[in-house]
Amino acid sequence: MALIRNNFTRMKNPAGTPVFNTHWGENPDAEQSIETRALGRVKDFADRKGALHEEVARALDVGFDNAYAEYAGASGVWNSVALMNKDGDAANGLSFEYEGCAKPTAIAEMVPEIMKLVATIFVLGKCKSVRLFVARAGGQIVVHRDYLEFDRGFDRYHITLVTSLGAFNGEGDHLFHLAEGGIFLVEGRVPHIGVNFNEAPRVHVGVDTAAGTPVEDVLVGPVADPDPLEFLHRPPLPAGFYETLAEAGASVTAVSVQEAFYLLNKTALCYQCNLADVYDWLDIMCQHSPDPLAVDEANTLRRKMIGA
């Protein structure tokens, strides 16, 4: 795995963007091929930005939850702050399917401008949860699908409060940046990934509604037209890539499968590929492992993260 790991140490420049001849740009065809949708922009975001950022800092000082930290590979780099949820308990960052609407937590009272923003965009009576999604410096969630544990799951909206180009999402074949002040419907049912290579945290408001609720029943007020998404253009996989995976498999054991998996998730950011390919790459490595239990570990990870 040393060869693969060495690539990751060179994978980002000071601006936070992966290297290997990558660059940002619009891609209308790609925007049509992904499930995530840009719905609009907060009209007066520039005027609100200072107050919103102050409240973000205040909320992060008060407390955050490490729910679902196993998707991040390291506790403390991918957090949430509960503003509204099933029982109004700020200490509970988990998602629940339930009848009725979310109740505000004590932290919601400390961030009135953020809550006012949410209320001007969404029908609060349709919300199942409202959270701040916080990606710390270097934070990354692995390729996974949401809602596998639920009967129906949710529709998830994001308002981007604090971000820059070093933070991006991905699904299918594409990596893309959600611009600051944007309003997005983010599809979690497909394999997807999230990354923050900035030195500062990336903070979104995440709003969950019952699955299948029409967008027009969720959004309240008029919003500005959305900006086109920016996509990260990546070079193709290098020659001999699959041979390298097989060679690296010789050093993989059942104990180190998890580490190999996290490294492969970083590889997917550097080269053009379908993000779900990381599970096939892991299979190749484990099939060449001297440890017969490595394949079982890889299969367990696949079932847990993408359900297949």
Side-chain angles (χ1 to χ4, degrees):
M1 288 192 296
L3 175 59
I4 297 175
R5 186 182 292 109
N6 287 342
N7 280 343
F8 307 145
T9 64
R10 309 195 311 271
M11 71 176 296
K12 64 188 184 73
N13 62 27
T17 305
V19 293
F20 299 118
N21 299 317
T22 59
H23 64 278
W24 288 100
E26 295 179 16
N27 188 337
D29 291 338
E31 190 157 354
Q32 291 300 313
S33 72
I34 62 174
E35 300 293 331
T36 292
R37 290 287 175 260
L39 302 179
R41 291 179 292 112
V42 179
K43 276 190 169 182
D44 54 353
F45 185 79
D47 296 332
R48 295 184 173 201
K49 182 174 177 177
L52 293 171
H53 285 198
E54 286 181 10
E55 290 191 352
V56 164
R58 187 182 310 154
L60 297 187
D61 283 342
V62 171
F64 50 84
D65 192 277
N66 282 329
Y68 309 112
E70 67 269 23
Y71 295 96
S75 180
V77 296
W78 205 272
N79 315 124
S80 64
V81 178
L83 303 181
M84 297 181 71
N85 57 21
K86 177 183 178 181
D87 52 14
D89 180 5
N92 191 347
L94 297 172
S95 298
F96 296 93
E97 286 181 314
Y98 64 94
E99 296 296 326
C101 60
K103 301 174 183 178
T105 70
I107 297 178
E109 299 176 3
M110 302 176 59
V111 290
E113 291 302 317
I114 293 176
M115 295 307 300
K116 187 186 302 182
L117 173 65
V118 172
T120 61
I121 297 173
F122 298 99
V123 178
L124 294 184
K126 299 289 186 181
C127 297
K128 298 299 183 181
S129 70
V130 178
R131 291 171 285 183
L132 296 180
F133 292 146
V134 184
R136 307 282 177 171
Q140 176 178 342
I141 50 173
V142 298
V143 178
H144 70 289
R145 293 172 58 214
D146 293 334
Y147 321 133
L148 294 176
E149 70 271 38
F150 297 110
D151 291 333
R152 298 191 62 201
F154 308 93
D155 292 334
R156 180 162 294 164
Y157 298 82
H158 284 223
I159 308 173
T160 50
L161 297 184
V162 184
T163 190
S164 63
L165 275 182
F168 48 93
N169 288 38
E171 68 174 69
D173 299 327
H174 303 292
L175 301 176
F176 49 90
H177 174 64
L178 305 181
E180 196 167 78
I183 304 163
F184 303 89
L185 179 56
V186 176
E187 180 52 79
R189 294 173 180 80
V190 298
H192 63 282
I193 200 168
V195 179
N196 180 28
F197 285 146
N198 297 315
E199 294 184 1
R202 184 228 70 179
V203 183
H204 293 183
V205 175
V207 176
D208 283 356
T209 64
T213 305
V215 172
E216 57 268 24
D217 292 346
V218 173
L219 297 185
V220 178
V223 298
D225 290 338
D227 292 323
L229 291 175
E230 290 191 81
F231 286 82
L232 187 65
H233 298 263
R234 297 165 289 165
L237 289 169
F241 177 76
Y242 290 97
E243 290 79 3
T244 299
L245 291 179
E247 293 172 8
S251 62
V252 172
T253 66
V255 174
S256 63
V257 165
Q258 190 91 31
E259 179 189 4
F261 175 63
Y262 291 137
L263 294 176
L264 291 173
N265 272 265
K266 294 185 183 298
T267 299
L269 306 177
C270 299
Y271 302 108
Q272 185 60 46
C273 64
N274 186 288
L275 294 170
D277 288 348
V278 297
Y279 293 94
D280 295 333
W281 299 347
L282 186 64
D283 284 345
I284 291 171
M285 293 180 72
C286 291
Q287 287 163 9
H288 289 81
S289 165
D291 185 346
L293 297 180
V295 171
D296 292 338
E297 288 294 321
N299 290 337
T300 297
L301 264 175
R302 183 189 287 263
R303 287 193 299 271
K304 177 181 178 180
M305 295 299 184
I306 61 173

